[in-house]
Amino acid sequence: MSIEIRGVSKRFGDFVALEDINVSIPTGQLTALLGPSGGGKSTLLRIIAGLEEADAGTIEIEGVDATHVSPQKRNVGFVFQHYAAFKHLSVRRNVAFGLEIRKRPKAEIKERVQELLELVHLEQFGDRLPSQLSGGQRQRMALARALAVNPGVLLLDEPFGALDAQVRKELRDWLRRLHDEVPVTTVFVTHDQEEALEVADEIVVISQGRVEQVGTPDDLYDRPANDFVMRFLGPVTALGGDLVRPHDLELGLTPGPGSHPGTITRITRVGFEIRVEVDVAGSTVLVTMNRTDFRQLDLDVGAPVHVRLVPGAPVVPAAGPVGDADPIPA
Amino acid sequence: MAEDRVDRDPFDDVEAERDLDRDHGPEGVVLTGTLFQPGAPPPRRRRVRRTPLSYLFRFIAIAYLFFLVAWPISLVVKNTFSDGFTELSDLWNDPDAMAAIRLTVFVAVVAVVVNTVFGVGMALLLVRYDFPGKRLLSALVDLPLSVSPIVVGLALVLVYGGRDGWFGPWLEDQGVQVIFAWPGIVLATVFVAMPLVVRELVPVLEEIGIEQETAARSLGANAWQTFRRITFPSIKWAVLYGVVLSLARSLGEFGAVKVVSGNVLGKTRTATLMVEEKYLNFDKGGAYATSFLLVLVAVSAIVIVGLIRPKETRR
Amino acid sequence: MTVAVAPPGKARRSRLAVPGRVTPASGLGLGVALVWFSLIVLIPLAAVVATAAEGGWSAFWRAVTNEQTAAAIRLTVSQAILVTVINMVMGTLIAWVLVRDQFFGKRLLEVLIDLPFALPTIVAGLVLLSLYGPKSPVGVDIVNKPSAVTVAFLFVTLPFVVRTVQPVLEELDPEVEEAAASLGASRLTTFRRVVLPSLIPAIAAGAALSFARAVSEYGSLVLLSGNLPFKTEVTSVRVLSSIENNNTAGAAAVATVLLAISLAVIVILDVVQRRMTRRG
């Protein structure tokens, strides 16, 4: 079930949440809507689901205009950040909800629910109440519930946002593998670029109500369209008025084509990575490399070096003031 | 897949606890805490859907409240002032009426003070300590709210009645007359309003938790200092809330007071008893005037409590 | 039976406010509180039951099944049930309007709802009399009629269901209803299957309170119902007349019946409260 979003705009009072959004999501793809909080991605997701109405523009699902269709009739599954579990129903009844509404025969419901519980590894918890499950388990239940009615589209709104870092990683991995098994057109919203890069087939970067760039994780990381996308998706440092990736910089003892002279001001070791801060013409440039490479150079604080960008590495002119190196995002 | 790790016991799960703040369901039913909440807690973002059905519901709700409460009350106000201020000034000039009002206020103040002290102590005990029979005691504290006022009066007469009561005759020998005198009225009023302060404080005490108090103790404060400097300031709005509720309730008690007071003019007649008497003696104007005063008190209580509520929840 | 695991709600509370053991100082406080509570509440109520039991079971039964008394009990209970049912519907509806609707003057409604709780019962009677009595501007006169009992009960029990349901409605997660919609449930189905089950404990609690209040009511009926035997006389009035006729044993017997009802309500409320915390 492909999704066509054309010219969608939405305001809340004076606040412009979305402005003229145009995105195409092909069938079966796992797409991430990535961006900072408040950027409009959740709003867009809810508009696709029919939980919000756009002020302008259209939503087409599988070629059919769904802009004014109620959420009940759109056949979209929705998974919420805080699970939205039916607290008074057991896990089994939660998952069965959509099927019971559609008055499917009991035997069919029972079978389907069992199938889904096994899919999400909650078979032993079928008769528990949601309050007796951990957050990760609740979210898996919510997924099973959404999938039960065979939606054409699956939408997830920051699905792992309420979870512990460790569980988040596990479920992220699990979602990717689930999608490989059950290739429903899936769109999920996240503000975590690592999550988007790891899980999605394609990423739509949205900030301040606009689409900044659409592309595969490699596209976005290696060929960022602008300053914002580059900053958001990975670590950046400024060299000569441009934004570059710290790990695309090399240190040399002799000058070369396009190199900048500087002095090492700080060396930090973080696990396998060495971070070298170099003072180049008054501003700090961050260079990262692995330990082996660093040891071969045999440098120390105060040593004069030359900083050079690896040929072919992505470069984006810095939009804002060229400041100190940005710390590596968590 | 790391199945075992993800499916570990939910209650060893750090994240399970983290989610609790969001998933903690509604509080258990608290009798007065929920009864008398004129202002709702700050609402979350909620789109208002205007369908024909919602207009119908709105109409029904407003009509019901109009015909059951609003119009009747406005008529009392109207009847009070049908002759201008005459009725009220007659009341002011009637020494018996003023005595009744003074008695009512006196009894109410005593009862409120007593119940506040008791209520704070009881609430602290119920929340901060464990002892056998705690749940029973907690349930019993609610008892006075659902007992018929006539039964309250009867119960007090049976124990403190001067002639045949359990303690009454002994008390009278000591010179203390309870029934048919003002102490009995105080007792009856204390009885009916007793749970109000306790019930307001219990959820507040539970929510603020024991950490601050423990910190104070570890810094060397004794029980009284801890209470005065740490506990009380955190609960003062809830206490005030309970006090206003108790005051309104105490000023308005009728049935229990009727049984224990003997309704002796000038001595044990309260404002509420006066309303009944004036009406039955065809002084309808006087009955309306007294009622008007009591309505004023009730409305003031509700409004004050409505102003306090946001302060209570803003903690 | 479900697994005996402590529900999350309880785990949270025991982290924040661990009840301690009773120390000598607080033990004294506990003793004082208990003595106080006994003197004012427990002993007097015990006296009622003891007095009722004095004449033995036969005397008790005679007092309770006395024709006039039995009629009063029947009237009180049936009217209380009627009013409770009405309150369950109207209370929920009013709470719904308060929580889900926005309009000018909504705050005034909140005051109106709390008024019956704060008003002295005798004044409530007078208030209702002005609209539904002899000088009624709409010509409705229910004085001395059984409907007077109904209206008086409706007035004094108005806040109970509204105030127990309102906070639960407020806490309802809108996303849960959105989830139901995304799964295909219409507004009505969502209400029936998702919202209402969450409200039922609150409605039950409010109903219990409402019933207990109605059964105990006295003051509002004095002026309004005329307390006519067999027609508009409620149980509390019977108790009062027994007291005034010095028939304390008889009064105590009927009072015990009322007390039993109050206790039953408290038990129901406790059960409901525990069920609500379990569901989390």
Side-chain angles (χ1 to χ4, degrees):
Chain A
M1 289 267 202
S2 59
I3 308 175
E4 282 294 325
I5 303 165
R6 292 207 189 90
V8 165
S9 300
K10 175 83 181 167
R11 336 161 65 96
F12 293 107
D14 282 337
F15 174 68
V16 177
L18 294 169
E19 198 167 322
D20 196 29
I21 305 286
N22 291 282
V23 180
S24 271
I25 298 170
T27 310
Q29 183 172 276
L30 180 54
T31 309
L33 298 181
L34 174 68
S37 299
K41 26 187 223 308
S42 284
T43 310
L44 182 59
L45 198 76
R46 289 167 63 87
I47 290 178
I48 300 174
L51 298 173
E52 299 274 3
E53 261 211 55
D55 294 333
T58 58
I59 304 279
E60 255 180 42
I61 302 181
E62 199 61 24
V64 175
D65 186 353
T67 321
H68 301 291
V69 175
S70 72
Q72 285 87 343
K73 303 220 165 63
R74 292 198 192 194
N75 200 24
V76 286
F78 203 101
V79 175
F80 296 83
Q81 184 177 6
H82 295 280
Y83 334 119
F86 301 137
K87 289 183 178 148
H88 59 288
L89 295 176
S90 68
V91 168
R92 214 176 279 279
R93 301 268 335 261
N94 259 276
V95 175
F97 188 82
L99 298 164
E100 284 179 11
I101 300 255
R102 288 163 176 69
K103 309 247 191 334
R104 310 301 308 157
K106 282 208 171 146
E108 184 188 315
I109 297 183
K110 198 166 160 201
E111 203 187 303
R112 180 91 176 114
V113 168
Q114 189 59 26
E115 188 189 319
L116 283 157
L117 287 179
E118 281 168 16
L119 182 68
V120 300
H121 296 287
L122 284 176
E123 317 90 301
Q124 318 130 277
F125 300 95
D127 296 313
R128 292 220 192 157
L129 289 179
S131 59
Q132 295 167 307
L133 299 178
S134 71
Q137 291 166 331
R138 275 182 237 183
Q139 202 57 300
R140 276 150 50 208
M141 177 193 81
L143 249 150
R145 182 177 71 180
L147 288 172
V149 291
N150 284 316
V153 176
L154 182 63
L155 304 172
L156 304 109
D157 192 354
E158 308 237 22
F160 312 132
L163 302 172
D164 214 15
Q166 177 67 4
V167 178
R168 210 172 13 225
K169 285 205 172 63
E170 288 170 353
L171 280 182
R172 184 194 296 178
D173 193 39
W174 176 82
L175 177 67
R176 178 72 242 180
R177 278 195 255 145
L178 181 70
H179 183 260
D180 292 336
E181 242 181 283
V182 183
V184 177
T185 311
T186 305
V187 184
F188 76 98
V189 160
T190 181
H191 60 266
D192 181 352
Q193 86 282 7
E194 194 182 307
E195 193 166 284
L197 290 170
E198 203 179 294
V199 178
D201 294 326
E202 192 173 77
I203 303 178
V204 178
V205 181
I206 297 182
S207 170
Q208 297 192 315
R210 288 168 206 267
V211 174
E212 297 284 346
Q213 187 174 357
V214 178
T216 65
D218 283 343
D219 284 340
L220 260 59
Y221 198 85
D222 295 334
R223 287 169 288 280
N226 56 33
D227 173 280
F228 174 81
V229 175
M230 187 157 194
R231 280 183 198 271
F232 200 79
L233 267 97
V236 290
T237 188
L239 184 65
D242 290 328
L243 286 182
V244 296
R245 300 266 182 233
H247 55 73
D248 285 336
L249 291 173
E250 286 178 337
L251 290 180
L253 296 166
T254 52
S259 72
H260 301 250
T263 325
I264 295 183
T265 55
R266 198 161 170 233
I267 302 173
T268 324
R269 185 174 131 197
V270 183
F272 63 85
E273 191 179 74
I274 307 284
R275 297 186 198 172
V276 184
E277 288 177 33
V278 182
D279 183 15
V280 173
S283 30
T284 310
V285 175
L286 179 66
V287 180
T288 59
M289 63 189 73
N290 61 40
R291 290 161 58 197
T292 330
D293 292 341
F294 185 71
R295 271 203 220 108
Q296 285 183 333
L297 292 168
D298 193 23
L299 293 166
D300 212 339
V301 176
V305 287
H306 296 267
V307 184
R308 194 177 75 110
L309 184 65
V310 166
V315 177
V316 170
V322 178
D324 290 338
D326 290 344
I328 296 181
Chain B
M1 176 175 149
E3 201 174 11
D4 292 342
R5 270 191 299 147
V6 180
D7 292 345
R8 59 191 163 227
D9 184 288
F11 301 106
D12 290 343
D13 220 345
V14 171
E15 57 166 349
E17 303 233 64
R18 244 189 54 166
D19 295 332
L20 291 174
D21 284 352
R22 186 48 159 82
D23 283 272
H24 184 61
E27 293 293 330
V29 174
V30 176
L31 292 179
T32 33
T34 48
L35 277 180
F36 208 15
Q37 280 179 349
R44 299 219 311 273
R45 167 190 76 95
R46 192 184 274 283
R47 289 182 354 265
V48 178
R49 293 184 51 132
R50 298 266 162 76
T51 64
L53 199 60
S54 67
Y55 282 110
L56 177 65
F57 286 169
R58 196 195 296 184
F59 175 75
I60 296 177
I62 295 180
Y64 189 74
L65 291 171
F66 177 75
F67 284 104
L68 193 59
V69 184
W71 199 1
I73 297 257
S74 69
L75 285 174
V76 166
V77 178
K78 186 176 133 222
N79 292 342
T80 306
F81 293 102
S82 56
D83 231 353
F85 277 88
T86 338
E87 292 300 346
L88 281 174
S89 60
D90 282 349
L91 211 63
W92 181 259
N93 295 325
D94 177 0
D96 285 333
M98 293 316 290
I101 293 177
R102 271 196 304 273
L103 175 67
T104 306
V105 173
F106 170 74
V107 163
V109 168
V110 171
V112 166
V113 167
V114 161
N115 273 332
T116 305
V117 171
F118 169 81
V120 172
M122 196 61 158
L124 282 170
L125 274 168
L126 285 176
V127 177
R128 296 277 181 262
Y129 297 97
D130 244 337
F131 47 87
K134 181 165 110 156
R135 247 190 70 203
L136 180 63
L137 185 60
S138 178
L140 285 178
V141 165
D142 279 335
L143 200 52
L145 280 180
S146 46
V147 176
S148 169
I150 302 294
V151 172
V152 172
L154 174 66
L156 291 171
V157 167
L158 286 176
V159 174
Y160 298 102
R163 260 191 310 133
D164 301 313
W166 289 6
F167 305 155
W170 177 81
L171 282 168
E172 287 214 350
D173 289 341
Q174 316 298 323
V176 178
Q177 193 195 8
V178 176
I179 304 298
F180 302 145
W182 67 263
I185 304 182
V186 171
L187 265 186
T189 311
V190 167
F191 187 117
V192 298
M194 179 167 283
L196 295 173
V197 174
V198 182
R199 279 302 160 211
E200 278 313 311
L201 289 183
V202 164
V204 173
L205 279 172
E206 273 173 355
E207 212 181 308
I208 62 181
I210 203 178
E211 289 159 343
Q212 292 179 64
E213 290 164 30
T214 316
R217 294 302 195 99
S218 71
L219 288 164
N222 63 30
W224 174 247
Q225 286 170 323
T226 309
F227 176 76
R228 193 166 60 88
R229 288 165 180 268
I230 307 294
T231 317
F232 188 72
S234 317
I235 59 173
K236 64 177 183 217
W237 289 115
V239 170
L240 187 58
Y241 198 103
V243 161
V244 175
L245 286 184
S246 298
L247 194 58
R249 186 76 176 85
S250 305
L251 287 165
E253 179 48 36
F254 174 69
V257 168
K258 180 163 176 177
V259 174
V260 303
S261 74
N263 206 2
V264 176
L265 200 67
K267 261 189 67 186
T268 62
R269 194 176 70 155
T270 61
T272 48
L273 291 174
M274 184 162 74
V275 172
E276 180 191 23
E277 197 190 299
K278 281 191 179 292
Y279 192 87
L280 294 175
N281 291 334
F282 302 105
D283 178 10
K284 292 206 175 145
Y288 276 110
T290 319
S291 295
F292 171 76
L293 292 174
L294 290 166
V295 166
L296 218 55
V297 166
V299 172
S300 315
I302 297 176
V303 168
I304 292 176
V305 147
L307 294 171
I308 294 177
R309 185 124 215 344
K311 294 200 167 75
E312 204 196 336
T313 41
R314 204 177 290 144
R315 268 176 291 97
Chain C
M1 211 49 233
T2 42
V3 181
V5 188
K10 254 219 168 121
R12 176 197 191 199
R13 272 220 283 281
S14 61
R15 266 197 310 146
L16 291 179
V18 181
R21 301 292 306 284
V22 177
T23 65
S26 57
L28 179 65
L30 180 63
V32 167
L34 281 177
V35 166
W36 181 247
F37 190 59
S38 308
L39 279 178
I40 305 223
V41 178
L42 293 178
I43 295 181
L45 290 180
V48 171
V49 181
T51 312
E54 247 169 27
W57 183 246
S58 53
F60 177 85
W61 193 244
R62 239 181 308 123
V64 169
T65 52
N66 161 285
E67 260 186 54
Q68 201 176 343
T69 308
I73 295 180
R74 267 200 307 274
L75 175 72
T76 315
V77 170
S78 59
Q79 289 288 348
I81 292 177
L82 172 64
V83 164
T84 299
V85 169
I86 296 178
N87 276 333
M88 279 164 69
V89 173
M90 284 306 303
T92 308
L93 185 144
I94 294 176
W96 186 273
V97 171
L98 285 180
V99 174
R100 301 260 173 138
D101 206 345
Q102 276 295 110
F103 51 90
F104 180 74
K106 204 168 74 156
R107 281 301 306 273
L108 181 63
L109 283 192
E110 302 258 8
V111 173
L112 289 178
I113 291 167
D114 283 325
L115 212 48
F117 188 72
L119 218 53
T121 49
I122 184 78
V123 175
L126 194 67
V127 162
L128 290 172
L129 209 53
S130 17
L131 186 55
Y132 299 109
K135 295 242 185 65
S136 163
V138 283
V140 173
D141 186 354
I142 57 172
V143 171
N144 298 344
K145 301 206 178 75
S147 43
V149 177
T150 319
V151 174
F153 281 7
L154 279 176
F155 187 91
V156 299
T157 57
L158 174 66
F160 291 90
V161 174
V162 177
R163 291 313 189 194
T164 50
V165 170
Q166 190 180 3
V168 177
L169 261 181
E170 258 149 21
E171 284 293 306
L172 278 188
D173 189 353
E175 289 183 345
V176 172
E177 288 165 65
E178 287 177 345
S182 72
L183 290 164
S186 64
R187 299 266 302 161
L188 180 62
T189 311
T190 306
F191 178 76
R192 208 165 42 87
R193 285 175 175 258
V194 176
V195 175
L196 199 55
S198 312
L199 295 181
I200 284 182
I203 298 179
L209 287 170
S210 162
F211 183 78
R213 182 76 174 82
V215 155
S216 316
E217 181 54 21
Y218 170 69
S220 59
L221 294 163
V222 166
L223 302 178
L224 199 58
S225 75
N227 296 332
L228 302 175
F230 297 104
K231 263 189 77 185
T232 61
E233 193 184 32
V234 295
T235 317
S236 335
V237 174
R238 288 298 298 147
V239 176
L240 185 61
S241 4
S242 300
I243 297 177
E244 284 167 350
N245 296 334
N246 263 315
N247 176 13
T248 35
V254 183
T256 308
V257 171
L258 286 177
L259 270 179
I261 297 179
S262 306
L263 271 167
V265 166
I266 301 242
V267 167
I268 294 176
L269 283 176
D270 192 55
V271 166
V272 164
Q273 205 155 342
R274 280 187 299 141
R275 273 196 90 210
M276 277 173 84
T277 23
R278 180 166 62 85
R279 262 208 223 138

